[in-house]
Amino acid sequence: MIEVLVVDDDTRVADVNAAYVAKIPGFRVAAKAHNATEALRVVEDVPVDLVLLDHYLPDETGLSVVRSLRERGHQTDVIMVTAARDVATVQAAMRHGALQYLVKPFSYAGLRAKLDAYATLRRTLDGGGEAEQAEVDRMFSALSSTPAPELPKGHSPTTAELVRRALMAAEGPISAQELADRTRLSRQTAQRYLKLLERTGRVSLSLKYGDTGRPEHRYEWAASI
C-alpha cells in the first residue's frame, strides 16, 4: 500500500481529499494535517510515501514544507494540491521536487489519474537497474494526466512538459510571447511546441483582434484532467 498524508487547512476539503484517496486501489490515508507544523510532525512519526500538499497553510506555505522535508533528509514524494495558479509558484514547486501539481477545484477522476500515474511510476522505479533514453522519457512523462504525444525529432519531452504546466497554470489564453516569458524559453521554441500541442488537440487556438494589424494567436490548455 502507498501511504498518503493529506494536508489542507480546510478540514472539510481534507476529509473530501482523504475520501478520494481511500477509494483508489493501492492507496491508504496514513494521516491528515491542517498546517505545516502538523504535516512535518506526521512525516517524522509515521511512514509516509506521498504527501498531497496544499500551498496555502496558516503557519507556512506548502513550498516551505517541501523545503523543510528535504532539509531534514526526507525523500517523501509530494504532489501539490492547491488553488495557487501563478506560474512562479508552479515553477518553485517543480524546482523543489514536487512530482505533480493539481489545481483546485478538481474531480475525483482528476486526482485518481494523478495517483494511478504515480503508482505506475513507483513500480517502474522500484524495478531498479539502468534505463535507456526512451524509458527515461517515459518516466519523466509518467505523471502527465494525458498521454504524452509522440514527439517529432528535435522535440524534448521535458520542454513539452514545461510548456504544458505553464499553460495549465495560466488563467486564460496566452500568446507565444507570454508563454516564452513564463517558461524562459525563446519565442520560437515556445511557438514550435504550441503548434505541436495544438495539432494533437491538447491546446486550443483562438484569435485576438486588435484595432490594427494581424490578429494575435492565443493558446489555452484544452486536454481535460
Side-chain angles (χ1 to χ4, degrees):
M1 298 293 286
I2 296 174
E3 303 290 346
V4 181
L5 167 61
V6 176
V7 183
D8 199 293
D9 66 317
D10 188 321
T11 57
R12 293 170 299 177
V13 172
D15 288 344
V16 170
N17 291 349
Y20 280 172
V21 171
K23 291 170 61 178
I24 302 173
F27 291 83
R28 180 166 53 203
V29 178
K32 291 179 285 186
H34 307 298
N35 57 56
T37 302
E38 285 182 356
L40 292 170
R41 184 169 60 245
V42 169
V43 174
E44 293 285 355
D45 296 340
V46 178
V48 173
D49 300 304
L50 175 66
V51 181
L52 296 184
L53 181 61
D54 190 15
H55 180 59
Y56 297 120
L57 300 173
D59 48 352
E60 294 183 46
T61 66
L63 292 179
S64 296
V65 173
V66 180
R67 283 195 294 268
S68 296
L69 287 173
R70 301 303 177 240
E71 289 169 358
R72 299 181 185 191
H74 295 291
Q75 300 304 313
T76 308
D77 292 324
V78 175
I79 294 179
M80 300 295 293
V81 179
T82 176
R85 304 171 66 94
D86 60 287
V87 171
T89 301
V90 176
Q91 288 180 327
M94 293 168 61
R95 289 168 182 157
H96 285 90
L99 288 179
Q100 188 52 280
Y101 201 102
L102 185 58
V103 178
K104 295 178 180 178
F106 56 86
S107 65
Y108 166 72
L111 179 61
R112 175 159 189 170
K114 295 288 188 278
L115 295 190
D116 284 345
Y118 172 74
T120 299
L121 178 62
R122 277 181 61 98
R123 287 193 295 270
T124 301
L125 296 176
D126 289 345
E130 296 183 350
E132 299 297 331
Q133 183 63 52
E135 187 172 3
V136 172
D137 290 343
R138 285 195 296 272
M139 290 178 187
F140 271 86
S141 63
L143 289 175
S144 174
S145 55
T146 56
E150 290 295 326
L151 296 176
K153 186 176 181 180
H155 288 71
S156 162
T158 303
T159 303
E161 176 66 5
L162 178 64
V163 170
R164 183 188 73 86
R165 292 190 184 198
L167 286 167
M168 291 187 69
E171 295 184 357
I174 60 176
S175 67
Q177 185 59 59
E178 289 171 324
L179 179 68
D181 293 340
R182 296 179 185 204
T183 58
R184 299 183 182 179
L185 298 171
S186 69
R187 187 185 185 283
Q188 291 77 11
T189 298
Q191 185 72 60
R192 188 154 53 97
Y193 281 82
L194 285 169
K195 286 182 177 179
L196 171 65
L197 292 170
E198 193 266 330
R199 287 197 303 270
T200 59
R202 288 166 171 78
V203 165
S204 61
L205 170 65
S206 60
L207 300 178
K208 180 181 179 182
Y209 291 89
D211 295 334
T212 59
R214 298 171 60 185
E216 181 182 52
H217 288 69
R218 300 184 69 80
Y219 301 87
E220 186 172 21
W221 186 253
S224 64
I225 63 172

